[in-house]
Amino acid sequence: MTHILSVSVLNKPGVLTRIAGLFSRRNFNIESLNVGRTENPEISRMTIVVNGDEKTLEQVQKQLHKLINVLKIKELDQTQIVERDLILIRVKCTRQQRSEIIQIADTFRAQIVDVAPDSLMIEATGTEDKLEALTELLRDFGIAEFVRTGIVALSRGQVIER
Amino acid sequence: MPKMNGGQIIIESLKKENVDVVFGYPGGAVINLYDALYSSDIKHYLGRHEQGVVHAADGYARSSGKVGVCIATSGPGGTNLVTGLANAHMDSVPIVAFTGQVPSSLIGKDAFQEADITGISLPITKHNFLVTDVKELAKTIKEAFFIARTGRPGPVLIDLAKDVTQAEMEFEYPDKVDLPGYNPTFEGHKLQINKAAKKINEAKKPLLYVGGGAVISGADKEVRELVDKAKIPITTTLMGLGIYPENKELALEMLGMHGTQYANLATTEADLLIAVGARFDDRVTGKLDEFASGADIIQIDIDPAEIGKNVSVDIPIVGDVKRVIKELLPYIEEKEMGEWQKYVIDLKKRYPLKYEDDGSETIKPQYIMEEIDKYTKGDATIVTEVGQHQMWAAQYHKYQKPRQFITSGGLGTMGYGLPAAVGAQVGQPDEKVVLIAGDGSIQMNIQELGTAAAYNIPIKVIIFNNNYLGMVRQWQEFFFEKRYASTKIPAPDFVKMADSYGIWGRSIDKKSDLDKALKEAMEHDGPAVLDIHIPQEENVYPMVPAGAGLKDMIEGEK
């Protein structure tokens, strides 16, 4: 079971090491981890995707809370969030294939960010599923390399009660 | 306001934290701090090894209830603290450790005596800091003491770049800490407390299982009241010994791998287990699915992460143990001794701790513990190393009060005892401090005899000498067909060794000599070493093999 944790941390030296170290020594699995600045320059937000049952998740949250520089931990309800992942893919292509690849990119609202004689670089954002679908389609052309940021996510604003 | 350097700022900050004793070992990176110590009123105890220094601070903290403070230099000074920090972390002991670091301009350059001690100590401290700016110094010390002593206590390390201790500024100690990410819960949840009270009142076969958290919280009075009011039998962990007087009727003493049979049987049969400041360690529970399998579980602990970590809990209460029990008590119904209580008392009669005494001149280790208990009228502070002697000390001495038994529980650190005894005596100068040691363990930090001698710290070192690493040998006897791989360890002449430090020493191997030798050692004005030769292949019973259920104990000799 995959869980997304949004963790606010104080921007102190070593805070990333503390969190990464905690996961490894307590034998928890991180699927992805993303750190970035927030509206407050003293605070960073980490989006951590973890795999495990409810019991493991509870321990992860409690152990994270014990870290002095961790301010807040929230498990995001995956039906009530906007989640995004960014991918850069360099895909091999001949001159003849170029327009076909650009068409695929357009369908996914992705950008062509670099063109070389034998390859194209595509930038795409979206949910994990979308990026996986895109990667899958491009695989036929030959993927030279790719990099993904991992998920960042925020809860949606007001939820409308029905 | 006059300016002072970082070293002096540390001294002034320590005074603000009411520190009057520190343990340490000097070096190049902390030389400014030592220079400031030189002209201060703070008493500094020079150890003989940094590991000794941190264990001494640990023993001091456990015996006095205050924060232990230790100092080491950069590089090897810091790395030598590692075992002591891990030890304190496992047993929740408040320590503030200062380490020197190379000047901030040299950090990361592999400078002489540089080691990344904040990186190294990260998983074995409650928190740690690297200070590279003197402006942060006083604030950091304030935070370190606050973190070390509040909530679930633990060791905090402050790494000091050398230039910080040289730099000058005006001293100002903050009144408050600003730690938005650190808010321990002290108050128990009312609703949970009510639920727990109801459960306790309804239980037919309740059992208290009390650990070191109750000692740290100072909850001995509350625990006693709870036991006496509701007539709940009580068993303690190794760390909880002394929270309730062991000579009382409902005291079942220690449970677990080397616990009493009556404690383990009562645990197996209870219908309600009330865990107080205890963390369901594997040495306590044995096979988890069989541990108190017929019982509902109430768990009171200040650390929410301990709740549900190893077992599922029916009624968790997060909070300071002392406060929670105090709030719980008015809701608890006064009870008379019933069937369960009579049954448990009968278990004590049926399955007493026992050892074979053939009436010869052999000195049995269990007998030594009984004699020490008798001689000190159960009033001494008993410190131990780690191994068989530690278990005999836990079993055959009846503990009466908290902080009376000082031992390395979680980490099981051989070499802890001698320096911890030094620290414990410094923390409680008027108590009799007796170290129970094995001949293996004591050799791991034996250099600390030098510390005891130099300050005339009157600890009584009783060595249970069997020329074996006895606990491992016992496992080899039971589970490896007596293939004693590397556990035979010829001991040195401890009397000569003591003598070389100018310490009183004596060695005995006859039971008839024990009385007199013990008396001489105890009454000697200063540290004393008594080397007692015990049978080489004596075992600790009862024993629950690792991974077995508590009811599957090996009982031992008839």
Side-chain angles (χ1 to χ4, degrees):
Chain A
M1 180 67 185
T2 305
H3 306 271
I4 304 174
L5 297 176
S6 177
V7 183
S8 311
V9 299
L10 278 178
N11 253 335
K12 300 268 180 165
V15 64
L16 179 61
T17 321
R18 285 176 203 279
I19 289 182
L22 174 75
F23 274 82
S24 73
R25 86 174 175 278
R26 295 269 173 196
N27 211 5
F28 302 140
N29 279 324
I30 300 185
E31 200 149 284
S32 76
L33 187 153
N34 197 295
V35 202
R37 284 188 295 186
T38 62
E39 63 283 359
N40 181 340
E42 286 178 11
I43 295 171
S44 291
R45 181 169 287 118
M46 294 194 180
T47 309
I48 308 175
V49 181
V50 283
N51 240 330
D53 54 21
E54 289 297 326
K55 226 181 139 189
T56 312
L57 180 75
E58 189 187 319
Q59 265 296 308
V60 169
Q61 295 189 5
K62 284 174 168 177
Q63 294 295 348
L64 280 173
H65 257 303
K66 284 173 74 169
L67 298 177
I68 311 286
N69 292 336
V70 169
L71 298 175
K72 212 166 125 189
I73 303 160
K74 201 166 132 196
E75 193 198 352
L76 300 179
D77 174 354
Q78 293 180 44
T79 63
Q80 299 296 339
I81 55 169
V82 176
E83 59 161 286
R84 289 291 180 270
D85 195 346
L86 183 143
I87 192 169
L88 292 172
I89 316 176
R90 199 157 61 77
V91 55
K92 293 179 193 156
C93 80
T94 59
R95 190 180 300 216
Q96 292 75 24
Q97 291 171 321
R98 214 175 261 161
S99 60
E100 190 185 344
I101 292 174
I102 291 172
Q103 252 179 20
I104 292 173
D106 281 345
T107 320
F108 282 83
R109 288 191 216 161
Q111 317 274 343
I112 307 297
V113 288
D114 182 58
V115 182
D118 57 351
S119 72
L120 280 175
M121 195 189 295
I122 299 170
E123 172 201 322
T125 59
T127 60
E128 272 196 304
D129 290 352
K130 172 180 156 183
L131 298 190
E132 255 149 45
L134 173 64
T135 318
E136 215 36 59
L137 281 175
L138 293 174
R139 208 175 290 280
D140 288 347
F141 302 96
I143 292 173
E145 54 185 346
F146 78 87
V147 61
R148 278 171 70 164
T149 57
I151 291 174
V152 292
L154 278 181
S155 291
R156 289 180 189 276
Q158 203 182 0
V159 179
I160 298 152
E161 304 274 343
R162 282 176 223 230
Chain B
M1 219 188 282
K3 287 194 170 186
M4 48 176 86
N5 72 23
Q8 292 162 323
I9 288 174
I10 295 169
I11 300 298
E12 291 308 313
S13 304
L14 290 177
K15 285 187 195 159
K16 293 275 186 193
E17 296 293 340
N18 297 317
V19 173
D20 45 16
V21 167
V22 299
F23 301 88
Y25 204 99
V30 283
I31 200 160
N32 295 294
L33 174 53
Y34 270 84
D35 188 62
L37 261 174
Y38 191 67
S39 48
S40 85
D41 301 332
I42 293 174
K43 172 90 176 152
H44 176 267
Y45 287 88
L46 173 67
R48 295 298 181 268
H49 186 295
E50 286 89 351
Q51 191 187 347
V53 156
V54 60
H55 287 327
D58 177 309
Y60 173 87
R62 293 194 209 209
S63 84
S64 68
K66 296 188 233 170
V67 177
V69 178
C70 64
I71 305 169
T73 193
S74 65
T79 55
N80 279 343
L81 295 183
V82 166
T83 303
L85 293 171
N87 187 73
H89 191 50
M90 285 287 257
D91 288 348
S92 309
V93 180
I95 288 179
V96 172
F98 291 92
T99 49
Q101 184 52 276
V102 301
S104 40
S105 58
L106 292 181
I107 291 177
K109 307 285 198 304
D110 302 322
F112 175 65
Q113 291 195 326
E114 178 179 1
D116 173 17
I117 195 63
T118 46
I120 292 168
S121 64
L122 201 129
I124 51 166
T125 50
K126 185 170 173 187
H127 195 57
N128 62 22
F129 299 92
L130 167 63
V131 186
T132 52
D133 182 347
V134 71
K135 288 194 216 73
E136 297 287 315
L137 185 55
K139 173 178 169 284
T140 303
I141 297 172
K142 174 91 186 172
E143 289 176 358
F145 274 88
F146 183 76
I147 293 168
R149 69 159 75 95
T150 55
R152 179 179 182 173
V156 178
L157 180 135
I158 305 176
D159 200 20
L160 305 156
K162 185 170 178 177
D163 45 308
V164 168
T165 56
Q166 286 165 321
E168 294 198 339
M169 74 170 283
E170 290 165 355
F171 173 67
E172 199 183 336
Y173 206 61
D175 297 328
K176 282 193 182 137
V177 291
D178 176 27
L179 293 164
Y182 179 67
N183 300 300
T185 309
F186 296 103
E187 218 66 58
H189 195 282
K190 285 265 182 299
L191 207 71
Q192 293 295 91
I193 289 175
N194 288 336
K195 266 202 228 167
K198 187 159 177 279
K199 201 93 188 168
I200 292 170
N201 291 336
E202 284 169 0
K204 297 233 159 31
K205 297 188 280 182
L207 179 69
L208 269 159
Y209 149 51
V210 184
V215 175
I216 293 166
S217 163
D220 48 310
K221 195 175 138 263
E222 289 72 16
V223 168
R224 281 176 210 203
E225 236 182 290
L226 182 58
V227 173
D228 297 343
K229 189 174 184 187
K231 305 288 182 297
I232 308 174
I234 173 171
T235 176
T236 69
T237 68
L238 184 71
M239 301 301 298
L241 290 176
I243 196 75
Y244 185 82
E246 291 194 310
N247 51 3
K248 288 221 184 185
E249 232 178 350
L250 290 173
L252 304 182
E253 298 152 69
M254 186 170 76
L255 82 167
M257 182 175 274
H258 291 297
T260 62
Q261 275 182 276
Y262 34 96
N264 285 345
L265 290 171
T267 308
T268 308
E269 292 177 35
D271 68 355
L272 176 66
L273 190 73
I274 309 148
V276 179
R279 58 184 178 83
F280 298 86
D281 179 82
D282 56 278
R283 285 297 190 264
V284 161
T285 62
K287 194 175 181 184
L288 264 180
D289 341 324
E290 287 179 24
F291 180 73
S293 52
D296 286 332
I297 295 177
I298 297 171
Q299 187 180 2
I300 308 170
D301 205 292
I302 198 156
D303 180 359
E306 284 307 337
I307 286 167
K309 188 179 78 180
N310 294 334
V311 300
S312 303
V313 176
D314 300 283
I315 306 177
I317 306 175
V318 176
D320 174 56
V321 162
K322 186 186 173 84
R323 285 201 211 180
V324 171
I325 302 182
K326 212 177 220 169
E327 280 199 46
L328 181 69
L329 274 166
Y331 302 103
I332 298 293
E333 290 167 10
E334 199 151 349
K335 290 234 172 98
E336 298 295 317
M337 291 279 198
E339 232 171 90
W340 167 243
Q341 287 76 5
K342 281 177 198 145
Y343 172 74
V344 166
I345 292 165
D346 184 53
L347 282 180
K348 286 174 76 172
K349 289 191 189 118
R350 267 158 60 200
Y351 304 103
L353 283 170
K354 56 179 189 280
Y355 61 94
E356 203 180 7
D357 187 358
D358 59 6
S360 73
E361 277 284 44
T362 310
I363 314 177
K364 287 280 186 157
Q366 301 91 336
Y367 176 73
I368 306 171
M369 281 320 303
E370 290 172 343
E371 287 300 293
I372 289 172
D373 195 351
K374 240 190 265 171
Y375 185 84
T376 60
K377 301 188 174 67
D379 201 39
T381 299
I382 306 288
V383 185
T384 78
E385 296 281 354
V386 167
Q388 286 185 312
H389 65 276
Q390 179 189 27
M391 293 299 116
W392 288 315
Q395 293 173 333
Y396 286 90
H397 185 287
K398 302 296 169 215
Y399 294 91
Q400 310 294 332
K401 53 186 182 185
R403 302 193 181 279
Q404 194 192 353
F405 183 65
I406 294 176
T407 197
S408 166
L411 197 67
T413 310
M414 289 172 69
Y416 168 77
L418 179 55
V422 166
Q425 184 76 78
V426 172
Q428 290 192 334
D430 300 328
E431 292 284 321
K432 177 132 313 231
V433 174
V434 180
L435 170 68
I436 307 299
D439 56 306
S441 278
I442 197 156
Q443 291 185 65
M444 282 207 182
N445 270 320
I446 194 131
Q447 77 286 346
E448 297 306 318
L449 284 176
T451 312
Y455 300 97
N456 197 30
I457 297 168
I459 53 170
K460 310 304 171 192
V461 180
I462 315 289
I463 303 173
F464 287 20
N465 188 344
N466 58 8
N467 281 278
Y468 269 113
L469 300 173
M471 188 58 96
V472 181
R473 187 210 55 74
Q474 178 173 339
W475 282 50
Q476 288 168 335
E477 178 186 330
F478 288 6
F479 312 118
F480 292 87
E481 299 156 344
K482 292 199 179 187
R483 289 155 54 85
Y484 293 156
S486 300
T487 41
K488 182 94 191 148
I489 180 167
D493 184 330
F494 289 114
V495 175
K496 277 189 189 156
M497 192 176 260
D499 191 47
S500 73
Y501 284 104
I503 290 177
W504 182 97
R506 185 154 175 214
S507 181
I508 57 167
D509 58 6
K510 285 192 196 67
K511 195 174 174 182
S512 52
D513 291 336
L514 180 65
D515 214 25
K516 187 163 164 276
L518 205 54
K519 191 164 182 290
E520 273 178 28
M522 293 291 183
E523 283 172 14
H524 180 75
D525 182 22
V529 171
L530 180 58
D531 172 37
I532 307 178
H533 291 259
I534 62 167
Q536 296 207 331
E537 299 192 26
E538 187 70 19
N539 290 322
V540 181
Y541 293 114
M543 178 179 183
V544 179
L550 286 192
K551 63 178 191 323
D552 302 318
M553 285 161 283
I554 304 172
E555 285 185 43
E557 300 138 8
K558 291 288 170 210

